[in-house]
Amino acid sequence: MLLEGKAAVVTGAGSGVGAASARRFAAEGARVLCADINPDSARETADSIESTGGTAFPVACDVADEADVVMMLRAAVDRFGRLDIVFNNVGVPTPRLGASLEEHTVSDFQRLFAVNVGGAFFGCKHAVIQFKRQQTSGVILNTGSVDGLVAWGGAVYGATKGALHQLTRAVAIEGAPFGIRANAICPAGMPYTNFMAAGGADMTAESIARIARHTAARHPLGRPITAQDCAEAAVFLVSDRAADITGALVPIDGGYVAG
Ligand SMILES: NC(=O)c1ccc[n+]([C@@H]2O[C@H](COP(=O)([O-])OP(=O)(O)OC[C@H]3O[C@@H](n4cnc5c(N)ncnc54)[C@H](O)[C@@H]3O)[C@@H](O)[C@H]2O)c1
């Protein structure tokens, strides 16, 4: 029970990395607020945790809206009495996956930055405020991407993740004197989540299998990355086992970046 008694917030908890992480946090003893812009999927994850004996509740929240993020964190504190872990996991793809730089509109650019960077900024800012108010340490985890470590294409999405990585490191340095840690996981392409569908990709069983083969072939370890892989790293990074790890950008990429 790595997270026994901890109060955690996970954003994007209705799907993919967020859903897998919320479940793993709960399985390790955390009480989990499952936040998502889609209330039904947030409720589904929370219900699945409660049905297996865990403690969770759903909150509808658009992380690009500061008032929503404040409300979300307040809901966690009201319910759990404190806040220990904030996992800013939400990220959206470019609306038309594969779009070149010049095909991005101003509103594409603004939405990508508002959600991917703005959402994490609000989450980090208000987590730090709450941790300092409690006069306790606290842990922030953000979901970055390999796309913010190397240029894979997807210029605007990659730029949001690069910015998020730098935000993570800066929060780690500012938070360190207060015992606040901040890290990011940086996954490589995950074919089995809803992320690529959100980018307009046609995710049939056949295309998912093709993308899985393609991504696996690019990783030295030779298999596609899954949401569960990310959740396992997330549990470790938010736990006290990682007490000396802060400011780290951890690739979950089968060795791709190392190559
Ligand atoms: N899937 C990939 O290939 C991949 C690769 C690298 C990094 N990532 C990153 O991993 C993270 C999780 O992605 P995933 O693959 O689990 O995606 P996903 O699409 O399966 O899940 C994302 C969840 O976030 C929610 N969401 C979207 N916008 C929101 C908003 N404004 N406010 C609150 N919730 C919102 C969605 O409803 C969804 O439930 C993202 O940060 C993404 O950028 C994904």
Side-chain angles (χ1 to χ4, degrees):
M1 287 294 209
L2 287 178
L3 306 179
E4 184 78 61
K6 304 275 190 195
V9 169
V10 178
T11 71
S15 175
V17 174
S21 300
R23 292 194 187 100
R24 281 294 289 121
F25 286 11
E28 293 291 345
R31 296 163 291 164
V32 186
L33 183 158
C34 300
D36 204 285
I37 199 166
N38 177 338
D40 294 337
S41 65
R43 179 167 302 106
E44 217 171 278
T45 302
D47 286 351
S48 76
I49 290 171
E50 291 262 318
S51 70
T52 51
T55 303
F57 74 103
V59 163
C61 168
D62 178 356
V63 298
D65 180 336
E66 184 169 19
D68 260 21
V69 173
V70 170
M71 172 279 297
M72 169 186 79
L73 295 182
R74 192 175 300 134
V77 174
D78 286 349
R79 182 71 72 102
F80 303 140
R82 56 182 289 118
L83 185 65
D84 300 298
I85 297 163
V86 175
F87 185 11
N88 300 301
N89 162 69
V90 167
V92 290
T94 202
R96 297 166 304 285
L97 276 178
S100 62
L101 173 68
E102 64 275 22
E103 287 165 347
H104 283 76
T105 65
V106 170
S107 72
D108 293 339
F109 177 88
Q110 289 171 337
R111 185 66 188 158
L112 280 163
F113 269 86
V115 176
N116 294 1
V117 187
F121 163 63
F122 297 142
C124 290
K125 173 181 166 181
H126 293 287
V128 165
I129 289 170
Q130 178 60 28
F131 294 151
K132 287 183 177 174
R133 186 181 295 141
Q134 291 173 180
Q135 298 189 311
T136 61
S137 53
V139 187
I140 292 168
L141 183 65
N142 296 327
T143 301
S145 175
V146 157
D147 290 28
L149 298 173
V150 300
W152 244 0
V156 181
Y157 174 78
T160 67
K161 292 300 188 176
L164 174 59
H165 295 167
Q166 190 56 17
L167 175 74
T168 305
R169 293 196 285 211
V171 170
I173 297 305
E174 280 196 19
F178 304 92
I180 296 169
R181 298 191 296 110
N183 294 295
I185 55 168
C186 309
M190 289 178 283
Y192 305 117
T193 72
N194 288 315
F195 181 82
M196 293 177 198
D202 182 21
M203 299 304 282
T204 61
E206 202 178 293
S207 59
I208 291 171
R210 182 169 35 76
I211 294 167
R213 281 195 301 277
H214 175 73
T215 52
R218 295 173 86 170
H219 303 162
L221 285 178
R223 65 182 189 85
I225 305 304
T226 66
Q228 201 59 38
D229 295 329
C230 293
E232 297 301 336
V235 164
F236 170 70
L237 287 167
V238 302
S239 78
D240 293 340
R241 296 253 175 106
D244 281 326
I245 301 178
T246 197
L249 310 175
V250 181
I252 315 293
D253 69 343
Y256 177 79
V257 168

